[in-house]
Amino acid sequence: MAREISEEKHLKKMKAVKEKQDQKIAAAKEERGVSILLAGPGKGKSSSAFGMLARSLGHGHKVAVVQFLKGAMSTGEEKFFNAHENVDWFTMGDGFTWETQNRQKDIDSAQKAWDKAAELMADEQYNLVILDEITYMFKYEYLELQPTLDALKNRPKDMNVVLTGRGPKQELIDAVDTYSMILAEKHAFKDGVKAQAGIEW
Amino acid sequence: MAREISEEKHLKKMKAVKEKQDQKIAAAKEERGVSILLAGPGKGKSSSAFGMLARSLGHGHKVAVVQFLKGAMSTGEEKFFNAHENVDWFTMGDGFTWETQNRQKDIDSAQKAWDKAAELMADEQYNLVILDEITYMFKYEYLELQPTLDALKNRPKDMNVVLTGRGPKQELIDAVDTYSMILAEKHAFKDGVKAQAGIEW
């Protein structure tokens, strides 16, 4: 079956694809850092942020991570990246909020995490700052959104920022350059398979 | 505003969330590797796969990667992970197919990449195998789907497999445990911002 498409037809199609792709590349002229929001119920928000972290390190960049929710449990990503000389890693939360069952403690943790994030986002040495699961802070009203919008706007020109979590506010969606919505079409966990080390944490 | 929600109301809500979460965790009893498909037009497919790679390494696992499309260009992820002793990395493609403009050469590359992937998926030492951008091989009819479905079915019980790329076939969707569809709600590149090192490659 695979061999039935003619070489000419393929060449014609691929030429058109290449032309379109080259046009897009030529049109993309602005050189600056981007802000990326990864939201939605599907698997792949934090893991995508950590993939970009690896990419950045491959280019010799300096990276900072603030984890707003996870923290009580030691994760694979923390174990792996925290040891790297170009990574500054901060896990400020006391675990998931439904584990702590203490709203004031959560608010204090969130504020502490945000203070650190604001400091990092003003620091030119970082090429990438990851604000992992920060959207929950706004969703649960642990943090005001405005300081984050201001920090995004006033950050160093070449800094990339990645924000993750479910239920992002519309103002945050409006503020970022790239917004991927990740849908959970299927999820192994829902079907009774245990969360796997290396996959979910 | 953040402080106006009462402690009792919060506690009640969080108790309900915790109960639901604990029930889900108790229900998830099956201990085995999972297969994950990351598809859709949005940013975050490959980067999510590489985030899981980092997670796996954090747990001391052994990982293999086959990149079916990228290869001509040296990427941040390759530079970063390829040096790691627990990673076996194979970039089999000659670059994007619209760059090669040669269907037979692409088919040969795809077949070579698949032969390697099949070998890796039968090897118990790997906890995670990533088949990056493999869906295009089926979409462009460079590869038959059935050998991949067979390899998924017959792989070692604890092996996790992550497949990425756009336009997955329905039979592949049916075969995997987890399927995240990543929508591009906004994309900086489309708005004229250049692809950034550490973000897109």
Side-chain angles (χ1 to χ4, degrees):
Chain A
M1 184 182 74
R3 275 73 188 170
E4 275 169 24
I5 293 173
S6 76
E7 189 70 27
E8 299 97 294
K9 201 177 155 195
H10 174 74
L11 206 60
K12 200 176 163 189
K13 194 175 161 191
M14 285 301 121
K15 269 196 178 143
V17 174
K18 181 167 161 57
E19 232 164 69
K20 208 173 151 190
Q21 198 64 15
D22 287 348
Q23 278 169 8
K24 275 194 210 165
I25 291 168
K29 287 198 175 114
E30 206 184 336
E31 190 83 75
R32 64 167 172 85
V34 292
S35 53
I36 299 173
L37 173 61
L38 300 159
K43 161 146 197 63
K45 298 180 287 295
S46 295
S47 50
S48 178
F50 297 125
M52 286 184 256
L53 201 172
R55 268 185 187 149
S56 264
L57 293 177
H59 291 287
H61 296 160
K62 208 165 156 52
V63 179
V65 179
V66 183
Q67 288 199 295
F68 282 82
L69 269 190
K70 285 163 191 159
M73 179 160 109
S74 180
T75 57
E77 60 266 30
E78 185 183 357
K79 275 185 225 167
F80 182 69
F81 286 121
N82 204 356
H84 196 285
E85 57 174 353
N86 279 350
V87 179
D88 290 326
W89 191 284
F90 305 91
T91 44
M92 310 297 281
D94 295 300
F96 287 99
T97 183
W98 53 85
E99 290 296 337
T100 62
Q101 305 273 326
N102 182 330
R103 183 167 166 82
Q104 193 50 55
K105 206 175 151 201
D106 286 347
I107 290 172
D108 295 345
S109 290
Q111 192 55 54
K112 215 173 124 194
W114 172 250
D115 291 345
K116 176 53 75 178
E119 187 191 314
L120 298 166
M121 286 172 76
D123 189 339
E124 289 200 350
Q125 70 172 315
Y126 296 107
N127 190 276
L128 171 64
V129 175
I130 295 174
L131 307 175
D132 191 35
E133 322 238 36
I134 192 172
T135 62
Y136 298 98
M137 303 300 107
F138 312 124
K139 189 168 142 80
Y140 290 141
E141 302 190 342
Y142 290 176
L143 291 176
E144 303 282 344
L145 183 59
Q146 197 57 48
T148 296
L149 299 180
D150 293 341
L152 277 172
K153 202 174 168 186
N154 300 324
R155 75 189 195 276
K157 185 174 169 281
D158 294 328
M159 181 185 285
N160 299 303
V161 179
V162 178
L163 311 96
T164 77
R166 293 189 189 201
K169 303 260 178 207
Q170 188 58 48
E171 298 94 309
L172 185 59
I173 293 170
D174 294 341
V176 297
D177 298 304
T178 296
Y179 169 33
S180 289
M181 155 76 95
I182 306 185
L183 303 178
E185 300 287 327
K186 282 173 96 172
H187 202 300
F189 180 63
K190 279 190 204 155
D191 293 331
V193 183
K194 271 190 148 177
Q196 297 294 303
I199 297 297
E200 304 291 344
W201 50 283
Chain B
M1 185 182 70
R3 275 73 186 168
E4 274 169 26
I5 295 174
S6 78
E7 191 69 27
E8 299 97 296
K9 200 177 154 194
H10 174 73
L11 207 57
K12 200 176 161 189
K13 193 176 163 192
M14 284 301 122
K15 270 195 179 144
V17 174
K18 183 169 160 53
E19 235 164 67
K20 209 174 151 189
Q21 197 66 17
D22 287 349
Q23 278 168 8
K24 274 194 211 164
I25 290 168
K29 287 199 175 113
E30 207 185 335
E31 190 83 76
R32 63 168 174 85
V34 292
S35 53
I36 299 174
L37 173 62
L38 301 159
K43 167 157 189 57
K45 297 180 289 295
S46 295
S47 50
S48 177
F50 297 125
M52 287 184 256
L53 201 172
R55 270 187 186 147
S56 264
L57 293 176
H59 292 287
H61 296 160
K62 206 163 158 53
V63 180
V65 178
V66 183
Q67 289 199 295
F68 281 84
L69 270 189
K70 285 163 192 158
M73 179 160 107
S74 180
T75 57
E77 60 268 29
E78 185 183 356
K79 275 186 225 165
F80 182 68
F81 286 121
N82 204 356
H84 196 286
E85 56 173 354
N86 279 349
V87 179
D88 290 325
W89 190 286
F90 305 91
T91 44
M92 310 297 281
D94 295 301
F96 287 98
T97 182
W98 53 84
E99 290 297 337
T100 62
Q101 305 272 324
N102 182 329
R103 182 166 165 80
Q104 193 50 53
K105 205 175 152 200
D106 286 348
I107 290 172
D108 295 344
S109 290
Q111 192 55 53
K112 215 173 124 192
W114 171 251
D115 291 344
K116 177 52 75 180
E119 185 191 316
L120 298 166
M121 286 172 77
D123 189 339
E124 287 200 350
Q125 70 171 317
Y126 297 107
N127 191 277
L128 171 64
V129 174
I130 295 175
L131 307 176
D132 190 35
E133 323 236 38
I134 192 172
T135 61
Y136 298 99
M137 302 301 106
F138 313 124
K139 190 167 142 74
Y140 289 142
E141 301 189 342
Y142 289 177
L143 290 177
E144 302 282 345
L145 182 59
Q146 197 56 48
T148 297
L149 298 179
D150 293 341
L152 278 171
K153 204 173 166 187
N154 301 324
R155 74 189 196 276
K157 185 175 170 279
D158 294 328
M159 181 185 284
N160 300 302
V161 178
V162 179
L163 310 97
T164 77
R166 293 189 188 200
K169 303 261 177 203
Q170 187 57 46
E171 298 94 308
L172 184 59
I173 294 171
D174 294 340
V176 297
D177 298 304
T178 296
Y179 169 33
S180 289
M181 155 76 95
I182 306 186
L183 303 178
E185 299 286 327
K186 281 173 96 171
H187 202 298
F189 180 64
K190 279 189 204 155
D191 293 332
V193 184
K194 269 189 150 176
Q196 297 293 303
I199 297 296
E200 304 291 343
W201 50 283

